[in-house]
């Protein structure tokens, strides 16, 4: 039997992401910041972009941040900067947003999709090892849903085989990675180069499109600064084939305000995740998101996971019926991702063998992402969790 929960008339409407609620709290600061840019008319590469770049470098503890137009460009430019060439094989996860594999294919590199870990949802280290050939040139771990891939193992493999590591950090900005010896590093500062996205719904989102590339390598940073600007290092001298990919000053003005609150925002996401976890504990058919394996099991308030998404696995349950039930009750939710990349028309390849994608093939049927943002309150979380539990046990 399905109990119908009555939404109290004053409960805020539940949204997958509440950009408006967040904006209302910082409206004055954001408006002033944006108006300053309008007044300055320095719309492209103005001091605001430079200022944000420096602030982000300090926040991350990385030598170079190179802002660009979006997270997809950031990935592409990182690969161009490394000098990858057509035919080079690039290993990445089968279970991610398509942007990751898209840019590999666009550059005429050869994408090599591999399976993921069922607990962390991140790229499987053994699968990486099995996929390495003499043509392999790079690995692109995606820090899916807000938690770093197993970077320690990945960097070791990369060193052994002389490969580049490009972190796709679109979903984990602000997350901290813990090495087995206790050392820490911010997500996106561990590989040779990293990309991120400032798409509005990301953990650090602007009010349009934006992205950035991070690296600690001075030479690579120099190369990339030219690539984002038509391959120019000296005005009107085009040394390499580049692109036009810029973060505009209005977006930088928004990002600068939000960067100051990023830790607070990520803490709000963790708080919501903890409340979800608590409500779902003891539910046999629900697997809640894991934290970083090297982190303690009870790292409730640590930042090893910044919950870009709060993603459950639901077992022995008709996941799509659950989605419909939640939607019918005014609860938006997402299925990230419903189709493995190796089964997408654009990326199918006869080299792939279904047996190698057991986990991804399973996850696409079980995952469901619940509303996750900085403005969720207890009443909303209680309503969401009871609606889920009620459906699963009915
Ligand atoms: C959002 C996202 C991107 C692309 O970012 P855009 O700014 O939308 O281009 C790339 N990879 C992952 C994993 C993402 O989540």
């Amino acid at each position: 039997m399905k109990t119908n929960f009555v939404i109290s008339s004053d409960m805020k409407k539940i949204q997958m992401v509440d950009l408006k609620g967040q904006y209302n709290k910082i409206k004055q600061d954001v408006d002033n910041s944006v108006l300053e840019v309008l007044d300055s008319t320095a719309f492209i590469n103005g001091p605001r972009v430079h200022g944000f770049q420096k602030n982000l470098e300090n926040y991350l503890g990385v030598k170079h941040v190179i802002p660009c137009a979006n997270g997809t460009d950031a990935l592409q430019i990182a690969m161009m900067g490394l000098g990858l060439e057509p035919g080079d094989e690039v290993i990445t996860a089968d279970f991610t947003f398509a942007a990751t594999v898209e840019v590999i294919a666009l550059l005429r590199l050869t994408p090599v999709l591999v399976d993921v870990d069922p607990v962390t949802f991140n790229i499987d280290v053994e699968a990486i090892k099995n996929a390495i050939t003499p043509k392999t040139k790079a690995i692109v771990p995606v820090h899916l849903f807000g938690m770093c891939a197993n970077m320690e193992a990945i960097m070791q493999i990369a060193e052994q085989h002389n490969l580049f590591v490009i972190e796709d950090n679109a979903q984990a900005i602000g997350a901290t990675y813990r090495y087995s010896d206790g050392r820490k590093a911010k997500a996106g500062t561990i590989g040779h180069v990293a990309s991120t996205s400032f798409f509005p719904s990301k953990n650090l989102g602007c009010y349009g499109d934006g992205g950035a590339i991070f690296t600690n390598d001075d030479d690579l940073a120099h190369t990339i600064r030219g690539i984002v600007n038509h391959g120019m290092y000296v005005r009107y001298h085009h040394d390499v084939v580049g692109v036009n990919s810029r973060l505009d000053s209005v977006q930088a003005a928004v990002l600068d305000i939000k960067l100051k609150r990023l830790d607070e925002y990520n803490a709000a996401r963790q708080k919501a995740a903890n409340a979800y976890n608590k409500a779902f504990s003891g539910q046999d058919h629900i697997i809640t998101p894991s934290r970083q394996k090297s982190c303690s099991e009870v790292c409730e308030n640590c930042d090893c996971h910044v919950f870009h998404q709060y993603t459950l696995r639901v077992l022995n349950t008709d996941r799509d019926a659950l989605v419909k039930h939640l939607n019918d009750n005014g609860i938006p939710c997402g299925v990230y991702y419903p189709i493995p990349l190796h089964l997408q028309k654009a990326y199918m390849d006869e080299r792939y063998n279904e047996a190698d994608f057991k986990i991804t093939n399973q996850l696409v049927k079980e995952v469901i992402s619940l509303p996750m943002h900085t403005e969720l309150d207890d009443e909303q979380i209680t309503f969401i969790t009871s609606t889920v539990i009620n459906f699963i046990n009915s």
Side-chain angles (χ1 to χ4, degrees):
M1 193 202 71
K2 283 177 196 134
T3 314
N4 285 315
F5 287 86
V6 181
I7 309 179
S8 77
S9 55
D10 57 348
M11 187 173 82
K12 279 190 297 173
K13 184 173 179 294
I14 298 171
Q15 299 180 67
M16 198 62 190
V17 178
D18 184 1
L19 292 177
K20 181 78 179 176
Q22 192 189 57
Y23 170 59
N24 284 340
K25 292 183 182 162
I26 53 171
K27 184 171 165 41
Q28 203 61 58
D29 287 355
V30 169
D31 290 3
N32 289 342
S33 187
V34 168
L35 285 173
E36 266 173 41
V37 172
L38 299 190
D39 211 45
S40 75
T41 67
F43 297 125
I44 299 286
N45 281 338
R48 228 35 232 263
V49 176
H50 191 69
F52 168 66
Q53 171 199 321
K54 289 288 161 207
N55 291 336
L56 187 56
E57 285 167 356
N58 287 334
Y59 173 84
L60 293 168
V62 74
K63 271 175 99 176
H64 305 281
V65 165
I66 301 116
C68 67
N70 58 69
T72 309
D73 274 10
L75 269 169
Q76 178 183 331
I77 293 159
M79 289 176 200
M80 291 169 77
L82 291 172
L84 300 182
E85 291 184 351
D88 288 350
E89 293 180 3
V90 179
I91 298 173
T92 194
D94 190 35
F95 189 59
T96 175
F97 182 56
T100 323
V101 66
E102 179 177 62
V103 299
I104 299 172
L106 261 178
L107 292 173
R108 298 276 177 249
L109 312 174
T110 305
V112 177
L113 296 166
V114 301
D115 213 356
V116 296
D117 180 289
V119 175
T120 64
F121 303 139
N122 279 322
I123 193 163
D124 183 86
V125 169
E126 290 308 312
I128 295 176
K129 289 183 190 162
N130 293 335
I132 292 175
T133 76
K135 288 186 180 166
T136 309
K137 287 287 153 54
I139 308 169
V140 186
V142 182
H143 304 323
L144 203 70
F145 304 148
M147 186 173 70
C148 282
N150 185 348
M151 288 305 292
E152 195 163 350
I154 292 168
M155 294 310 292
Q156 251 170 32
I157 298 171
E159 202 170 315
Q160 273 164 15
H161 296 269
N162 205 16
L163 309 176
F164 293 119
V165 175
I166 304 155
E167 294 173 74
D168 181 345
N169 195 31
Q171 301 190 1
I173 196 160
T176 297
Y177 180 75
R178 282 165 177 73
Y179 290 85
S180 48
D181 64 4
R183 269 183 311 132
K184 296 179 192 176
K186 284 281 185 204
T189 67
I190 302 163
H192 299 93
V193 59
S195 61
T196 201
S197 163
F198 304 125
F199 185 78
S201 65
K202 302 280 155 107
N203 289 39
L204 178 60
C206 57
Y207 295 168
D209 271 312
I213 301 137
F214 319 148
T215 185
N216 283 309
D217 180 327
D218 296 340
D219 293 338
L220 181 59
H222 174 76
T223 304
I224 288 175
R225 285 210 175 87
I227 292 174
V228 298
N229 191 25
H230 302 291
M232 273 196 289
Y233 298 90
V234 174
R235 198 152 211 192
Y236 299 121
H237 292 252
H238 304 274
D239 294 357
V240 294
V241 177
V243 296
N244 167 23
S245 189
R246 296 183 282 237
L247 180 73
D248 68 67
S249 307
V250 168
Q251 301 311 331
V254 173
L255 287 165
D256 233 355
I257 301 298
K258 291 182 71 173
L259 176 60
K260 291 194 198 108
R261 294 165 176 84
L262 179 58
D263 285 343
E264 186 192 307
Y265 288 156
N266 283 339
R269 289 171 178 273
Q270 283 154 28
K271 184 163 170 269
N274 289 339
Y276 276 137
N277 285 345
K278 201 164 158 217
F280 291 132
S281 73
Q283 293 291 326
D284 294 345
H285 300 304
I286 299 177
I287 302 182
T288 56
S290 91
R291 298 298 182 101
Q292 201 192 302
K293 276 177 177 167
S294 58
C295 224
S296 86
E297 268 173 58
V298 285
C299 64
E300 277 234 319
N301 296 309
C302 101
D303 53 1
C304 72
H305 199 320
V306 292
F307 292 99
H308 174 59
Q309 298 294 347
Y310 181 86
T311 303
L312 299 175
R313 286 175 65 190
V314 291
L315 312 180
N316 304 317
T317 300
D318 181 343
R319 190 268 323 274
D320 294 332
L322 172 60
V323 168
K324 182 170 184 306
H325 180 70
L326 293 179
N327 291 165
D328 289 347
N329 282 275
I331 301 168
C333 57
V335 173
Y336 310 119
Y337 296 91
I339 304 170
L341 289 178
H342 81 277
L343 294 178
Q344 298 281 3
K345 249 192 222 165
Y347 305 112
M348 284 177 181
D349 192 311
E350 59 200 14
R351 291 171 311 157
Y352 294 139
N353 184 345
E354 278 313 297
D356 294 331
F357 298 102
K358 276 215 311 260
I359 305 300
T360 303
N361 286 340
Q362 176 91 13
L363 290 178
V364 295
K365 291 184 246 160
E366 294 175 345
V367 288
I368 179 166
S369 299
L370 299 181
M372 175 48 79
H373 53 78
T374 57
E375 313 302 313
L376 281 168
D377 65 32
D378 292 344
E379 185 184 15
Q380 292 176 313
I381 290 178
T382 305
F383 179 69
I384 296 164
T385 53
S386 22
T387 310
V388 171
I389 290 168
N390 190 252
F391 177 86
I392 287 184
N393 294 329
S394 64

